[in-house]
Amino acid sequence: MARHRHAVATALLAALPLAALALFFVYPVAGMVGRGFVPDGRFEPGAVLEVLTRPRVHRVLWFTLWSATAGTLLSLVLGLPTAYALHRLRFPGRDLLRAVVVVPFVLPTVVVGVAFRQLIASSGPLGGLGLDGSAVAIVAALAFFNVSVVVRTVGTFWESMDPRREEAAAALGATPWQVLRTVTLPALRPGVVSAASVVFLFCSTAFGVVLTMGGLRYANVETEIYLLTTQELDLTAAAALSVLQLLVVTGLLVLAARVRRSPPTARTARPLPRPRWTHAPVLLWTALTLVLLLAPLASLVAASLRRGEDWGLQNYRALATTGADNALLVPVTEALVTSLEIALVAASLALLLGTVVAYLVSRPGGGRPRQLLDGVFMLPLGVSAVTVGFGFLVTLDRPPLDLRSSALLVPVAQAMVALPLVVRTVAPVLRSVDDRQRQAAASLGAGPLRVLATVDVPAAWRALLAAAGFGFAVSLGEFGATSFLARDDDPTLPVVIYRLIGRPGAENFGMAMAASVVLAATTTAVMLAVQRLRGGSVGVL
């Protein structure tokens, strides 16, 4: 009887997030794909398959594959030595440098694209390299965005490794290279493969970076779906690419789930060593990586302080206006307030749903249903935000779900994008709680809610606050779905930045730079607070 009541309670608890996912993710995505497969009321799968034979689609798929592969490899090359320096050595300022490395990952993708263009433009510090508008610049921007994933994921594994195994190998005569090859790398393999699979997924679904830097010359699957939907109105082709992307992403998520393994929790009690002269190469490589991460941001700040030949704060003062020739319908400051309000609502929704999912998938036992539930809620991580946004438009437009004029339309879409990150931040912490504590509390007469309040919440409150901050930062910079859903008279800040870049005039361009700095500073402040809450053991991303 008790087991039956537990099963019913679990099913009821799972109903809320499952209903939200079905209504605000599966239904819009299915509606978008359905428009492509059933044009004019007739099921025509042949038309979808024909799309995959087009030469332009082949070019898009090839660019997506090789740019994501190159971005992943560059992220690993830059991130692995940095992970060692920041997680296996002890020196003053290490925590600050860890926070600096994380910042690019949560920057709005539009800001990343703008910052890189300022760095490599003909008038920029690296303009002499001739990289503006090149594929190399896009790959560099993808790596800039994802180095932190490698550092965080592999660094957590590295920090938890017992150094006595490496010391024993060295004592038996192994050279440093042999120790690295035979002891260190095999122990790190799950973390490296997990990080690489996640980075490849992020690179292959990048939107804002490729749209801003690729222009009409380079397009990946994500930007091609956007162009096909908004400019060519070719929903059949967009649906074909969305389905293909969904299949590939599902495969990557399955691969990541298979290789994902929590880092060992038993850490050595010995303090981490201080750097010695033998660590000079890895420290120099880490310093180079940090310079590469900070250079685009420094170039962006410099551009925000300049208008023509004049330097000053005029671009920031202009944020209270609608720009030259009324380029915008509302001032940038009003768009910032809108972004903050929407991000607050979206983060709250994502935290509510994500915490329920994390609680369910972290329970002992459960077997395959629990794994399936965990995997299902990871799907929004890889499905095109463009597909989700357009799906909202074509499905949630009639009673009883006519949300076209609802203030919740954009927050709900952003909550779906942030939901997987909330689950990934909270679930590992709940899994680390010894179930014997819950059993002991229950044996003393505590009910399920009392057990939750006295055992789980005290262990996970830092993760919950960090997840809320993560969700807020991600929602603040979300651009793919929001670009479809935000009204012209009530846009978010990333949408305003993209519009200003496309308008002529030095004033509009300077305002875009200043707005990018404001958005980056706001996101960075949130992430620094999250970093302090995360410590060394909260979450896996």
Side-chain angles (χ1 to χ4, degrees):
M1 181 62 72
R3 177 175 296 181
H4 178 69
R5 286 200 301 267
H6 177 73
V8 171
T10 301
L12 291 176
L13 194 59
L16 174 64
L18 283 174
L21 188 74
L23 191 60
F24 298 119
F25 176 73
V26 177
Y27 180 49
V29 172
M32 162 66 184
V33 173
R35 290 294 180 97
F37 275 84
V38 192
D40 303 324
R42 292 183 302 175
F43 181 58
E44 296 183 1
V48 175
L49 295 176
E50 183 275 332
V51 172
L52 301 180
T53 65
R54 298 177 184 175
R56 175 173 173 79
V57 171
H58 293 168
R59 290 196 298 272
V60 169
L61 293 177
W62 171 241
F63 178 77
T64 303
L65 178 62
W66 82 257
S67 64
T69 303
T72 302
L73 293 176
L74 185 57
S75 298
L76 290 172
V77 169
L78 293 174
L80 290 178
T82 307
Y84 177 84
L86 299 184
H87 289 269
R88 291 284 283 187
L89 299 177
R90 177 168 54 95
F91 53 86
R94 186 187 64 163
D95 291 342
L96 176 62
L97 296 181
R98 286 186 180 184
V100 170
V101 170
V102 171
V103 167
F105 178 68
V106 296
L107 283 179
T109 54
V110 173
V111 173
V112 173
V114 172
F116 259 82
R117 292 206 66 179
Q118 281 306 300
L119 184 67
I120 61 177
S122 57
S123 59
L126 299 182
L129 298 178
L131 297 177
D132 192 13
S134 69
V136 174
I138 295 175
V139 171
L142 293 176
F144 167 86
F145 198 67
N146 289 292
V147 164
S148 63
V149 177
V150 177
V151 174
R152 289 291 304 187
T153 305
V154 180
T156 303
F157 271 81
W158 224 328
E159 193 173 26
S160 304
M161 282 177 52
D162 189 342
R164 288 175 294 186
R165 296 177 59 193
E166 295 164 304
E167 294 170 356
L172 293 173
T175 64
W177 167 247
Q178 289 174 321
V179 172
L180 177 68
R181 183 171 56 84
T182 61
V183 179
T184 306
L185 289 181
L188 290 177
R189 185 179 298 124
V192 174
V193 175
S194 178
S197 59
V198 172
V199 169
F200 184 86
L201 186 149
F202 286 150
C203 290
S204 60
T205 58
F207 176 62
V209 169
V210 180
L211 184 68
T212 307
M213 302 182 65
L216 298 176
R217 186 177 181 185
Y218 297 105
N220 63 359
V221 171
E222 192 85 356
T223 59
E224 186 70 5
I225 293 173
Y226 177 79
L227 295 174
L228 290 169
T229 305
T230 60
Q231 298 186 13
E232 301 183 18
L233 302 180
D234 189 349
L235 298 186
T236 299
L241 292 179
S242 295
V243 171
L244 181 62
Q245 185 187 47
L246 180 62
L247 294 175
V248 173
V249 166
T250 302
L252 285 174
L253 289 175
V254 171
L255 173 64
R258 283 184 175 275
V259 302
R260 184 186 301 126
R261 191 177 69 187
S262 298
T265 56
R267 302 184 180 190
T268 175
R270 289 188 299 176
L272 296 174
R274 291 186 176 278
R276 301 188 301 271
W277 68 270
T278 53
H279 294 126
V282 73
L283 291 176
L284 288 174
W285 190 257
T286 300
L288 174 64
T289 300
L290 291 169
V291 169
L292 294 176
L293 294 180
L294 291 175
L297 301 179
S299 178
L300 179 65
V301 172
S304 72
L305 297 172
R306 185 176 181 180
R307 183 181 294 178
E309 298 300 324
D310 300 327
W311 292 81
L313 298 175
Q314 59 270 37
N315 291 326
Y316 289 91
R317 287 193 290 269
L319 296 182
T321 71
T322 55
D325 300 325
N326 287 323
L328 305 171
L329 295 180
V330 298
V332 177
T333 49
E334 189 173 323
L336 174 61
V337 173
T338 300
S339 288
L340 294 173
E341 292 174 346
I342 290 175
L344 184 61
V345 177
S348 301
L349 292 173
L351 184 64
L352 172 64
L353 299 174
T355 301
V356 173
V357 175
Y359 175 81
L360 292 172
V361 302
S362 63
R363 297 297 89 182
R368 193 170 295 277
R370 191 193 68 178
Q371 297 176 5
L372 181 62
L373 185 69
D374 191 16
V376 165
F377 280 91
M378 290 301 104
L379 284 178
L381 193 65
V383 173
S384 165
V386 173
T387 301
V388 176
F390 191 76
F392 266 57
L393 285 183
V394 300
T395 57
L396 304 179
D397 61 343
R398 60 183 66 92
L401 284 174
D402 187 359
L403 300 180
R404 286 173 298 180
S405 59
S406 172
L408 288 176
L409 187 63
V410 177
V412 168
Q414 292 185 354
M416 290 297 105
V417 175
L419 181 58
L421 296 178
V422 173
V423 177
R424 278 287 162 262
T425 304
V426 179
V429 178
L430 292 178
R431 286 195 185 103
S432 69
V433 176
D434 191 340
D435 194 53
R436 288 173 295 184
Q437 297 181 44
R438 302 186 184 101
Q439 296 172 5
S443 66
L444 293 174
L449 292 179
R450 184 73 178 274
V451 173
L452 183 68
T454 57
V455 177
D456 292 287
V457 172
W461 71 269
R462 290 164 66 93
L464 291 171
L465 289 177
F470 233 144
F472 185 85
V474 169
S475 300
L476 199 61
E478 208 288 322
F479 177 65
T482 309
S483 62
F484 279 93
L485 303 175
R487 299 199 307 265
D488 290 342
D489 60 346
D490 195 24
T492 62
L493 195 51
V495 174
V496 161
I497 292 171
Y498 185 69
R499 289 176 182 170
L500 285 172
I501 293 173
R503 298 300 179 94
E507 180 178 345
N508 291 332
F509 183 78
M511 288 175 61
M513 300 299 105
S516 297
V517 172
V518 170
L519 184 56
T522 306
T523 309
T524 301
V526 174
M527 286 312 302
L528 288 177
V530 170
Q531 181 68 17
R532 289 185 64 83
L533 289 171
R534 285 167 64 94
S537 59
V538 177
V540 296
L541 283 176

